[in-house]
């Protein structure tokens, strides 16, 4: 997650400025921060562009306050930790620690819910669905021995996935933020399993995970669950997810940032953002939809069109979600190592006044879920 690279003098100048800002932010927030994702306004423009082009299945957003419901339950599951590479979704659960549409406002209001009308055909609306998931992660080459600072989980029992990105700036203090991200994801998985069946509250689950996480560090968090009503997601920071349907990018979660390279985050000192600050989404889905969740190592290096293209090629080739995740992650790393090709990160840097070119080498975690018909799967 840390800004890296000395490939050109332009990047050296850029990193020097970002380091100064990171240290200033660290002194005021009791933590160091260094990472980025394109802003809410930019995503809003992309969604508006899709709508204006007449693409089907675009979103109509409405806002209303989320409400807390009752808690319960205690199902068992398997939780495992592994290093770099490819993962199938186990019969139980897996946790790894290499592991504008009308109505969208740009104030990125906290504690509110966005309901997306994805125009699912009425004949498909009541079909029992499931997520068939797979993942792939590539640590930053310099962090390969420790596995990097990303973490994720997948669970068939709760039909949920999650990704987290530990803040790399903690390394300046001798702290591996990957430990925080891994513990946060493990605790998120446990908290989700404690939720009452049929009335899951992801904000509550994230809050419980946050309170239970004791490691030093800080992290972004993105959790997506499949419910009877569709996808239910919470996202805090610049990890995120997108939904591909019928060849189009039907939806993409906007990033939450305090400023360029300073996303929202949960931290060990209670000096960062709170789980209630996360954006909440509910999105109707149908068989054939493809969900892609990832850390900023993915979204900083690949544009929506890049991700969509890999998904389409993989589906047409009959590849499963784990191979699709691998293809996306490998393309993201390829772009991250290209000092000349434009990237979402370089776009954001230049918009913020920095002279930066190319991708951003970082940990990359991708979780791909195929939405399938549960009766025929």
């Amino acid at each position: 997650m840390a800004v890296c690279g000395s490939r050109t003098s332009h990047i050296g100048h850029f990193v020097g400025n970002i380091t100064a800002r990171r240290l200033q932010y660290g002194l005021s927030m009791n933590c160091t921060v260094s990472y980025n994702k394109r802003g809410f306004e930019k995503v809003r423009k992309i969604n508006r562009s899709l709508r204006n082009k007449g693409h089907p299945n675009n979103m109509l957003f409405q806002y209303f306050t989320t409400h807390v419901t009752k808690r319960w339950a205690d199902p068992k599951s398997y939780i495992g930790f592994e290093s770099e590479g490819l993962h199938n979704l186990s019969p139980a659960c897996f946790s790894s620690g290499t592991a504008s549409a009308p109505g969208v406002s740009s104030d990125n209001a906290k504690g509110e819910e966005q309901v997306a009308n994805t125009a699912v055909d009425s004949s498909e609306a009541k079909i029992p669905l499931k997520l068939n998931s797979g993942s792939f992660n590539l640590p930053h080459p310099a962090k390969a021995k420790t596995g990097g600072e990303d973490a994720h989980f997948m669970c068939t029992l709760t039909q949920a996935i999650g990704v987290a990105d530990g803040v790399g700036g903690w390394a300046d203090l001798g702290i591996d933020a990957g430990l925080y991200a891994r513990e946060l994801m493990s605790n998120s998985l446990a908290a989700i399993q404690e939720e009452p069946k049929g009335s899951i509250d992801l904000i509550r689950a994230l809050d419980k995970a946050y309170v239970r996480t004791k490691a030093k560090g800080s992290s972004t968090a993105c959790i997506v669950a499949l419910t009877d009503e569709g996808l239910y997601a919470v996202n805090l920071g610049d990890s995120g997810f997108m939904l591909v349907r019928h060849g189009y990018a039907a939806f993409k979660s906007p990033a939450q940032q305090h400023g360029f390279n300073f996303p929202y985050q949960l931290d060990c000192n209670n000096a960062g953002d709170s789980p209630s600050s996360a954006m909440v989404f509910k999105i109707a889905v149908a068989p054939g939809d493809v969900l892609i969740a990832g850390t900023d190592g993915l979204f900083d290096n690949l544009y929506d069109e890049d991700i969509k293209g890999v998904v389409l090629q993989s589906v047409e080739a009959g590849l499963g979600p784990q191979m699709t995740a691998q293809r996306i992650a490998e393309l993201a790393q390829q772009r991250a190592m290209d000092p000349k090709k434009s990237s979402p990160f370089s776009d954001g840097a230049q918009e913020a006044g920095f002279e930066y070119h190319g991708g951003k080498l970082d940990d990359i975690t991708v979780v791909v879920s195929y939405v399938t018909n549960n009766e025929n799967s």
Side-chain angles (χ1 to χ4, degrees), residues 315-343:
V315 170
E316 289 175 358
L319 300 180
Q322 61 180 10
M323 288 304 300
T324 302
Q326 179 176 350
R327 285 189 168 193
I328 294 172
E330 289 176 342
L331 179 60
Q333 188 176 72
Q334 177 184 331
R335 295 288 176 81
M337 301 176 74
D338 189 331
K340 297 181 179 179
K341 193 173 183 65
S342 296
S343 69

Side-chain angles (χ1 to χ4, degrees), residues 65-325:
T65 305
T66 55
H67 298 282
V68 176
T69 56
K70 299 179 181 179
R71 67 183 69 182
W72 204 84
D74 185 29
K76 297 180 179 179
S77 69
Y78 167 77
I79 300 177
F81 293 91
E82 297 186 19
S83 58
E84 170 187 349
L86 189 84
H87 306 291
N88 276 316
L89 183 55
S90 73
C93 299
F94 170 84
S95 178
S96 173
T98 34
S100 157
V104 177
S105 63
S106 60
D107 61 1
N108 207 2
K110 302 176 182 179
E112 294 185 337
E113 188 172 273
Q114 302 185 37
V115 178
N117 177 8
T118 51
V120 173
D121 188 277
S122 59
S123 64
E124 299 177 330
K126 295 184 179 180
I127 297 176
L129 303 176
K130 65 178 289 187
L131 296 181
N132 178 19
S133 303
S135 67
F136 197 83
N137 49 277
L138 291 169
H140 186 296
K143 304 173 185 177
K145 290 184 178 180
T146 61
E149 293 150 345
D150 284 359
H152 72 282
F153 74 82
M154 304 179 291
C155 186
T156 54
L157 294 178
T158 55
Q159 287 291 283
I161 62 172
V163 295
D165 186 358
V167 178
W170 283 90
D172 296 342
L173 303 178
I175 295 171
D176 179 6
L179 298 176
Y180 185 92
R182 291 190 281 274
E183 187 177 348
L184 180 67
M185 286 292 95
S186 179
N187 289 335
S188 295
L189 174 55
I192 290 171
Q193 291 175 309
E194 293 169 2
E195 286 292 300
K197 187 176 182 180
S199 59
I200 185 173
D201 186 329
L202 290 181
I203 288 289
R204 177 173 58 197
L206 182 59
D207 185 68
K208 290 167 71 173
Y210 172 57
V211 170
R212 294 170 180 174
T213 300
K214 304 302 181 184
K216 295 293 183 181
S218 58
S219 177
T220 65
C222 177
I223 302 173
V224 187
L226 180 63
T227 70
D228 292 340
E229 288 74 36
L231 291 181
Y232 172 23
V234 297
N235 186 55
L236 187 141
D238 60 359
S239 294
F241 69 96
M242 66 181 291
L243 186 72
V244 174
R245 172 180 299 159
H246 303 320
Y248 295 102
F251 178 77
K252 183 178 181 182
S253 60
Q256 291 179 304
Q257 300 182 100
H258 294 290
F260 174 69
N261 220 38
F262 299 143
Y264 285 30
Q265 66 198 260
L266 303 175
D267 92 319
C268 61
N269 296 322
N270 296 318
D273 301 288
S274 69
S276 63
S277 297
M279 297 189 76
V280 182
F281 308 89
K282 289 190 175 179
I283 305 170
V285 291
D289 288 356
V290 180
L291 170 69
I292 306 97
T295 54
D296 67 334
L298 166 62
F299 296 113
D300 278 345
N301 289 298
L302 294 184
Y303 294 103
D304 295 356
E305 287 295 313
D306 298 323
I307 298 171
K308 183 189 71 175
V310 176
V311 169
L312 291 178
Q313 292 174 6
S314 298
V315 170
E316 289 175 358
L319 300 180
Q322 61 180 10
M323 288 304 300
T324 302

